[in-house]
Amino acid sequence: MDFDIKLISSTTSIMSLKTDCLVVGIFKKNKLSSIVKDIDKYGEITNILKSGDLNEKLGSTLLLRNIQKINAKRILLVNLGDKKKKIKESNFIKIIQSIMNVFCNIGASNLLLMLPFNKIEKYNLSCLIIRTIIIISDNLYRSDAQKSKKKPIKINIKKIIFALDEKNYIDGKNAIIYGCAISKGIELTKNLGNLSANICTPTYLENISKKLSFDYKMDIEIINREQMQRLKMGSLLSVTHGSSEPPKLIIIKYMNGKFKEAPIVLVGKGVTFDTGGISIKPSYSMDEMKYDMCGAASILGTLYAISEMNLELNIIGVIVASENMLSGNSTKPGDIVVSMSGKTIEVLDTDAEGRLILCDALTYVERFKPSVVIDIATLTGACVVALGHHNSGLFSRNDEKHTKLVLDLLRAGKMSGDTAWNMPIEDRYQKQLKSNFADISNIGNSSADSITAACFLENFTKKYVWAHLDIAGVAWKSGDKKGATGRPVALLTYYLMLKSPNINFK
Ligand code: BES
Ligand code: MN
Ligand code: ZN
């Protein structure tokens, strides 16, 4: 799909615009938007509306043809709700979705969106255009990579054009570049999340990472099992014991910022399949545990997006990839392992494996002297219980140094629509991780599982400013639309865009 901007000045005659379809707004009680007033010189549209053909419901549409003296082949009227009120974010998404539904079924190959973008609550123009592109790309996505016959998407539309005035033209053009970059990053992340675990192994993630690094001239380093042993990553290695797939620690360096500027480090959980290990999971829905590498996949999607946008930052993506399987070699409940930090860990539950691989990666990244470290992980089922599929859980220390990071991430979430919710890390929870035999246990005692998981990680992040995103609820959808969502690529990319000197958002 192509996107473009059409410059509309005060002298542009809308009647003479050539397009397959002009998309314009109508408000409640058939009130016309100013653009419709402009083009309804002969009262035809007003008459049609009087007939009651446009449903009163927000998002309803009515397709018109052969309107007198108008060059556009079709006009699509969209009900935007109450004229006096701002359009809510959720309603805006509804509107875009219903416009897309119409275009899946008609012959138009391009369309010109003339919607009042300034009437949408809380959003600025750039964010709106980016969001629209993300929603449309999401609509057009199909998870058919492993189907023998791919059904082509039945849609004629090739180009979507936003009509903007001169003062918004440049912002609009840039927003299209950003929106397309983020959408492609999201698509990469979805593709990886949807791939079956017999294909998407740690070695597969290594190969994809190598390809991405080659395409965008990033340095890449792979740490294999022997090197992990030399680095004394006993916690990470304990998770890999049950699997015959070799684990990989993948380090990708995007160094496009100032020389010697401290990097932002992103660490992603890449468990390519989580059986739970000896603390085995119930078999119902266990297939979904192929998504347990979506933290890793979101790092690749984000690196893709920021490379396309050429952000002027130093960013290091670290993917810690392993399977969590059962075998005669598997780690057993009660086993005590020595992490790279030297801390000993009692593995009371082998299904709490994410934190075991992340803690060694989090110790490893100390060497980069990062300005900020953010880890991204499908870490706990409890996070799905707490926040559902709407928000990522955002965990960080509650002190001055971390406040800015938390606020920046929350803001990036709001702007992108890929939202997060702040959750606590406190000593009271930290105490739940006490072990009788080791320095720390890998599970708390049954309550506040996602918080104790974050507390566990906190122990390994004392040397830098850090936040943890639990994406267990947002990284995919269950049910008949089962599949990866590509979250939180948009959140992460916005966070980085807002830090990059060459991106200016209004
Ligand atoms: N990968 C799971 C978390 C998960 C569960 C993600 C459901 C997505 C959906 C993680 O490794 C896990 O198994 N966590 C345990 C932790 C528990 C043993 C403390 C969980 O959530 O049950
Ligand atoms: Mn698990
Ligand atoms: Zn897991």
Side-chain angles (χ1 to χ4, degrees):
M1 181 72 67
D2 277 339
F3 296 92
D4 205 355
I5 304 287
K6 168 93 188 152
L7 181 64
I8 305 285
S9 70
S10 52
T11 58
T12 309
S13 147
I14 315 246
M15 310 277 280
S16 63
L17 286 175
K18 283 211 173 82
T19 169
D20 278 4
C21 188
L22 204 59
V23 181
V24 292
I26 299 288
F27 296 103
K28 216 166 144 183
K29 304 214 169 99
N30 290 335
K31 288 202 179 112
L32 309 185
S33 62
S34 57
I35 288 170
V36 181
K37 275 186 198 151
D38 275 359
I39 57 175
D40 195 28
K41 292 234 166 67
Y42 303 92
E44 259 181 290
I45 296 179
T46 309
N47 280 336
I48 293 169
L49 286 171
K50 272 190 195 141
S51 73
D53 282 1
L54 181 66
N55 193 305
E56 274 286 295
K57 268 217 296 253
L58 181 135
S60 301
T61 54
L62 181 64
L63 189 68
L64 308 177
R65 284 177 153 278
N66 302 324
I67 299 291
Q68 272 182 64
K69 303 271 194 274
I70 291 180
N71 265 342
K73 286 192 196 145
R74 304 170 185 79
I75 293 179
L76 183 70
L77 306 179
V78 190
N79 193 331
L80 303 179
D82 198 332
K83 188 167 187 177
K84 288 192 206 102
K85 287 191 191 141
K86 286 252 175 190
I87 299 172
K88 271 202 229 147
E89 181 190 344
S90 56
N91 286 338
F92 166 69
I93 296 165
K94 234 193 237 166
I95 289 165
I96 296 294
Q97 221 117 36
S98 55
I99 294 173
M100 281 313 285
N101 289 345
V102 173
F103 285 101
C104 286
N105 298 308
I106 63 171
S109 74
N110 62 69
L111 67 96
L112 186 60
L113 285 176
M114 298 198 82
L115 297 174
F117 286 110
N118 55 350
K119 273 193 71 81
I120 291 128
E121 208 170 71
K122 288 189 226 152
Y123 266 68
N124 72 32
L125 182 86
S126 307
C127 292
L128 269 176
I129 291 180
I130 295 171
R131 188 80 191 274
T132 305
I133 295 175
I134 293 176
I135 295 170
I136 291 173
S137 309
D138 188 63
N139 266 278
L140 299 176
Y141 179 83
R142 296 290 175 276
S143 50
D144 57 6
Q146 291 178 285
K147 295 203 185 199
S148 60
K149 288 199 186 76
K150 304 190 200 317
K151 277 196 211 136
I153 300 171
K154 282 199 209 103
I155 183 163
N156 293 307
I157 184 96
K158 303 232 156 37
K159 194 168 191 175
I160 295 176
I161 303 165
F162 298 86
L164 296 179
D165 59 15
E166 202 162 357
K167 86 177 191 299
N168 289 317
Y169 185 76
I170 302 283
D171 287 334
K173 278 272 184 195
N174 284 329
I176 286 183
I177 297 172
Y178 308 153
C180 290
I182 297 173
S183 296
K184 283 197 203 140
I186 289 174
E187 187 181 330
L188 170 63
T189 301
K190 282 187 192 170
N191 283 342
L192 290 169
N194 288 333
L195 261 189
S196 62
N198 58 329
I199 305 295
C200 186
T201 58
T203 307
Y204 187 91
L205 289 179
E206 171 188 2
N207 291 334
I208 290 283
S209 302
K210 281 182 174 159
K211 184 171 181 310
L212 186 70
S213 310
F214 179 81
D215 288 350
Y216 290 97
K217 299 187 179 63
M218 296 182 279
D219 280 337
I220 180 163
E221 189 187 342
I222 311 290
I223 293 183
N224 61 23
R225 193 191 290 272
E226 289 70 44
Q227 290 160 298
M228 290 173 188
Q229 279 157 355
R230 252 178 273 137
L231 287 161
K232 298 195 174 9
M233 296 178 153
S235 181
L236 162 56
L237 284 163
S238 76
V239 175
T240 75
H241 285 154
S243 167
S244 44
E245 287 293 337
K248 306 281 176 182
L249 183 66
I250 304 162
I251 297 126
I252 307 172
K253 290 186 178 163
Y254 174 93
M255 302 304 244
N256 203 27
K258 288 196 201 89
F259 182 63
K260 284 198 172 161
E261 189 171 72
I264 296 171
V265 177
L266 306 175
V267 180
K269 171 178 174 183
V271 173
T272 57
F273 197 79
D274 181 11
T275 64
I278 299 295
S279 317
I280 192 166
K281 286 185 180 294
S283 54
Y284 175 76
S285 282
M286 206 206 267
D287 65 291
E288 297 199 343
M289 280 303 120
K290 69 175 181 178
Y291 297 118
D292 214 14
M293 33 57 72
C294 279
S298 74
I299 290 187
L300 294 173
T302 303
L303 285 173
Y304 179 95
I306 64 168
S307 301
E308 284 280 304
M309 288 188 236
N310 200 27
L311 296 194
E312 289 172 359
L313 295 170
N314 295 332
I315 296 157
I316 303 180
V318 176
I319 287 171
V320 54
S322 165
E323 280 186 337
N324 186 23
M325 298 291 283
L326 303 97
S327 86
N329 295 324
S330 289
T331 297
K332 303 166 290 299
D335 284 1
I336 293 176
V337 300
V338 186
S339 67
M340 185 182 179
S341 72
K343 265 195 187 19
T344 61
I345 303 166
E346 185 180 17
V347 182
L348 284 176
D349 193 321
T350 62
D351 197 12
E353 84 297 343
R355 61 199 83 179
L356 293 175
I357 65 173
L358 285 167
C359 71
D360 279 345
L362 288 167
T363 303
Y364 180 84
V365 303
E366 284 172 5
R367 67 190 55 205
F368 301 129
K369 307 215 167 9
S371 61
V372 163
V373 177
I374 303 165
D375 78 75
I376 306 107
T378 45
L379 204 63
T380 61
C383 194
V384 192
V385 176
L387 297 173
H389 301 284
H390 305 298
N391 282 301
S392 295
L394 168 59
F395 299 81
S396 192
R397 294 184 191 96
N398 186 14
D399 64 28
E400 246 167 61
K401 263 205 284 180
H402 289 78
T403 309
K404 180 160 176 9
L405 172 59
V406 169
L407 292 178
D408 284 353
L409 285 166
L410 291 174
R411 173 155 177 252
K414 285 214 178 99
M415 287 175 83
S416 61
D418 185 354
T419 53
W421 200 265
N422 197 193
M423 303 276 279
I425 289 185
E426 288 184 292
D427 283 348
R428 294 185 279 181
Y429 298 98
Q430 201 69 260
K431 289 203 181 84
Q432 290 180 225
L433 292 165
K434 264 168 91 177
S435 158
N436 285 3
F437 306 107
D439 298 345
I440 188 171
S441 145
N442 81 326
I443 49 168
N445 43 18
S446 80
S447 61
D449 270 350
S450 45
I451 302 175
T452 51
C455 284
F456 179 93
L457 297 176
E458 195 267 343
N459 286 286
F460 300 87
T461 59
K462 305 266 194 215
K463 300 226 168 102
Y464 44 72
V465 176
W466 158 81
H468 156 64
L469 285 170
D470 193 332
I471 59 164
V474 300
W476 76 87
K477 295 189 280 269
S478 303
D480 56 352
K481 292 220 169 107
K482 182 151 81 175
T485 61
R487 290 179 71 178
V489 169
L491 184 161
L492 292 170
T493 309
Y494 261 76
Y495 168 76
L496 297 170
M497 285 165 80
L498 291 167
K499 294 232 164 311
S500 180
N502 62 336
I503 303 284
N504 25 38
F505 255 145
K506 267 205 294 188

